[in-house]
């Protein structure tokens, strides 16, 4: 069964509506920063506390995914393939955009 994919606009709107959730605010900022380069190449899925990026052709369970989760000013960005951690990086918000770009490049390889 094909489930409609969330749009980047929907994800950013959802996150920015959670004004009392610092992780959501940080994730919304990060998502908006990488959007111009990745919106047409990956699907952005989100929850209140993290971002999940997948390839447009994949359905759950995803073969490959990138996750970004914010905790107290630090993003943890991870690449997972077939439920196994391939790589992970902890980075400050100031460098999170470049780090996420690198991980998304690995996702779409």
């Amino acid at each position: 069964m094909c489930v409609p994919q969330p749009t980047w606009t929907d994800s950013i709107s959802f996150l920015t509506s959670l004004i009392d959730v610092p992780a959501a605010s940080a994730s919304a900022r990060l998502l908006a920063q990488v959007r111009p380069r990745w919106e047409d190449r990956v699907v952005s899925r989100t929850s209140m506390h993290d971002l999940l990026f997948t390839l447009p052709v994949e359905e759950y369970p995803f073969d490959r995914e990138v996750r970004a989760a914010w905790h107290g000013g630090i993003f943890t960005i991870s690449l997972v393939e077939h439920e196994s951690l391939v790589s992970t990086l902890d980075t400050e918000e100031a460098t999170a955009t470049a780090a996420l770009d690198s991980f998304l490049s690995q996702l779409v390889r």
Side-chain angles (χ1 to χ4, degrees), residues 8 35-43 56:
W8 284 62
R35 180 181 186 176
R37 292 178 298 286
W38 296 105
E39 182 175 28
D40 294 332
R41 300 173 70 192
V42 299
V43 177

Side-chain angles (χ1 to χ4, degrees), residues 86-106:
V86 173
S87 59
T88 191
L89 174 72
D90 290 335
T91 184
E92 295 180 356
E93 284 187 57
T95 55
T97 300
L100 184 55
D101 281 339
S102 175
F103 275 75
L104 292 175
S105 293
Q106 294 174 61

Side-chain angles (χ1 to χ4, degrees), residues 41-108:
R41 300 173 70 192
V42 299
V43 177
S44 168
R45 303 166 192 278
T46 187
S47 71
M48 186 181 307
H49 295 286
D50 66 356
L51 300 169
L52 170 65
F53 299 93
T54 62
L55 296 173
V57 297
E58 290 193 13
E59 293 183 22
Y60 185 82
F62 308 111
D63 289 336
R64 303 180 72 223
E65 62 190 48
V66 168
R67 288 191 177 270
W70 183 90
H71 302 283
I74 302 294
F75 273 100
T76 299
I77 304 173
S78 304
L79 173 64
V80 175
E81 289 185 9
H82 305 288
E83 299 182 18
S84 295
L85 181 63
V86 173
S87 59
T88 191
L89 174 72
D90 290 335
T91 184
E92 295 180 356
E93 284 187 57
T95 55
T97 300
L100 184 55
D101 281 339
S102 175
F103 275 75
L104 292 175
S105 293
Q106 294 174 61
L107 179 67
V108 300

